[in-house]
Each structure stands twice: as C-alpha cells, then as structure tokens.
Amino acid sequence: MRLIDTHTHLDFPDFDADRDEVLARSRALGVQRMVVLGVYQANWQRLWRLVEANEGLFAALGLHPVYLDDHQPQHLAELRDWLGKLAGHGKLCAIGEFGLDYYLAELDRERQQELFEAQLELAVAFELPVLLHVRRAHAATIATLKRFRPTHGGIIHAFAGSYEEAREYIKLGFRLGLGGAATWPQANRLRKVVAQLPLESIVLETDAPDMAPAMHPNQRNSPEYLTDICAELAALRGVTPEELATASSRNADELFGWK
Ligand SMILES: [Zn+2]
C-alpha cells in the first residue's frame, strides 16, 4: 500500500527526540511521501533543512492565521523571496499553511483576510497549489477563492464542512484533506459527509502531532497512523483500504504534479 500524508508538522519539537525513527516506521508502513507545512517565518529555515535532508519529505511555506501576532509585514516579502529562490525546486510543493480561522475570536478577521489574499496572489504568481486551514470560515473562504481562482487548486486541510461546501471547493479545483477527525464515532455529521464525497476529491493527512485519530487517543499524532486512518475511512465508504490508498495517493500526485 502506498500512502501520502499531505499535512504534517514533523519539524515541531514534538518529534525532536525520535524523528528519524518516526520517519522510518512511517516509510515501512507505506507512507512514502509526507508534506511538512510552514506556519510562521521562524520555522521555514528549519523546515527546509529537514525536507532537504530526508527522502520523501516535501515542503510548503506559509503564514498560518493562528499565529497572526507573530507575523510581521516584512514576512510576506520574505515569503516571496523564499518562493522565488526555490521556484522549480522539486522539494517545494505548495504554499501553506494559511487560510481563515473564525473559531478563535481573538484573531482579527480583517488582518487574516489581508494575509489570506496576499498568499493567494503568491500562489497565482508562482503557480503553486495552496494548503488551507479553514475553521468556521467556509463561506468567506469560498467567496475569496472565487475572486482569486488559484490556478493550481489546493487542499482544504482537516475538512469538516458540509457536503454543499465540499462541492463548492471541488468546483474550484480543490481537494478535501481527511484525517483523524472523521475516525471518531461521535463525529456523525462529518462521517456522513465523508461517506458521500467523490473519491477523486479525497486526500489523506494526519496533521501530526495534532488531531490524533480515535484508535490512538490522547497521543502525539504521527504519519505512521495514516494506515489506520485510511482503513477506518475506507470502511466508512465501503471500499478496501487499498482502494482508498490508491485513489487518495493518485489525487495527491496529481495536485502536486508528482509523477
Ligand atoms: Zn497544520
């Protein structure tokens, strides 16, 4: 089985003690590629060093809305410089993580919107997919995407919206990132949506170290759990784990332009 973890934070200190072992175990289970996402300027260098040193790791760089107070105006210019410097580099696969978070009330929505739009402009300019964090902000995100129309699409990470919202994203060339959240039996509404989504729109992710799946509760999440997540979501959809692994990996390959 070949799997792709489209959303990880493997650069986080949570993995400092045993990162190499985690990567080895994940690869042994078939998780051949893992995307590591930047969240603020201060982690880009460390993240890039990590993906350059490890086969199967790929980078996305971005300014995450949850870290709004850490972002300085010059960080956008620095992001543009990084993207310019790395243009065409095989290890750079997207811009992210960025987006809109309306769940946390203290995050100024106007400033979030400015950062969101500036990074969508970069995606259009550098012809890269976008990896988006969207919490309680699907309507605003969809309206903004309709104005910017990023040509290479992207992923709505940890998708937990409605079927109708999923359809809007799919029309805009986006895939839905599914992971631990949908493995919890109490996530009834989300599980119904996941069962209905077209197979061509699904990519898998862990969001490690966050969003532990139901079969590994209260633990540090890890790409090595992606096989369990795949098996659970496949059962939910009435297909074999191999079928879901093959389809979701093909979808990710297409999105990132991987052969
Ligand atoms: Zn993330």
Side-chain angles (χ1 to χ4, degrees):
M1 188 174 350
R2 174 179 178 259
L3 288 164
I4 296 174
D5 192 340
T6 61
H7 197 112
T8 75
H9 298 283
L10 285 166
D11 63 306
F12 281 12
D14 309 65
F15 295 100
D16 282 354
D18 63 346
R19 189 173 286 106
D20 289 345
E21 289 86 343
V22 167
L23 290 176
R25 285 197 300 266
S26 303
R27 288 195 194 101
L29 287 164
V31 186
Q32 293 184 1
R33 294 186 171 210
M34 297 160 244
V35 180
V36 191
L37 290 89
V39 293
Y40 41 60
Q41 184 264 1
N43 88 324
W44 298 341
Q45 184 64 57
R46 163 181 88 186
L47 187 157
W48 184 253
R49 235 182 274 130
L50 175 68
V51 305
E52 273 207 305
N54 288 281
E55 206 197 320
L57 295 194
F58 295 83
L61 301 178
L63 297 165
H64 193 301
V66 165
Y67 303 96
L68 199 59
D69 289 338
D70 295 315
H71 307 326
Q72 304 299 319
Q74 69 270 22
H75 292 171
L76 265 176
E78 282 183 46
L79 180 57
R80 176 180 285 277
D81 290 346
W82 269 90
L83 297 172
K85 205 170 60 186
L86 298 176
H89 196 299
K91 285 274 186 176
L92 177 77
C93 70
I95 301 182
E97 166 171 10
F98 70 105
L100 296 175
D101 193 315
Y102 287 3
Y103 173 71
L104 297 171
E106 67 272 22
L107 300 172
D108 184 86
R109 293 186 182 185
E110 221 170 293
R111 278 184 58 216
Q112 286 196 59
Q113 185 70 28
E114 276 171 32
L115 258 184
F116 183 38
E117 294 188 5
Q119 291 177 90
L120 286 175
E121 279 172 2
L122 290 176
V124 173
F126 288 97
E127 302 183 325
L128 286 166
V130 295
L131 307 180
L132 299 184
H133 167 102
V134 185
R135 250 197 318 184
R136 304 249 175 109
H138 290 299
T141 301
I142 290 165
T144 308
L145 291 176
K146 281 182 176 166
R147 285 196 287 120
F148 285 83
R149 301 252 166 206
T151 46
H152 286 59
I155 297 173
I156 308 301
H157 131 74
F159 179 74
S162 68
Y163 182 68
E164 289 68 31
E165 286 158 346
R167 285 180 51 98
E168 291 285 334
Y169 286 123
I170 292 166
K171 273 195 272 173
L172 285 157
F174 277 72
R175 263 88 172 189
L176 295 323
L178 303 179
T183 62
W184 292 88
Q186 55 269 50
N188 263 319
R189 198 186 59 90
L190 175 59
R191 287 171 67 83
K192 280 199 189 105
V193 174
V194 168
Q196 283 180 287
L197 292 175
L199 197 55
E200 312 77 57
S201 70
I202 295 174
V203 292
L204 298 180
E205 62 167 63
T206 57
D207 201 18
D210 299 322
M211 299 191 83
M215 55 294 269
H216 302 282
N218 309 314
Q219 283 179 43
R220 174 189 70 174
N221 199 3
S222 164
E224 65 205 283
Y225 299 155
L226 198 62
T227 47
D228 298 329
I229 292 172
C230 178
E232 174 60 29
L233 299 187
L236 179 58
R237 295 178 55 88
V239 298
T240 65
E242 287 74 18
E243 282 174 282
L244 183 58
T246 303
S248 61
S249 297
R250 189 197 313 125
N251 298 338
D253 285 339
E254 258 177 46
L255 179 80
F256 293 122
W258 292 337
K259 298 279 159 2

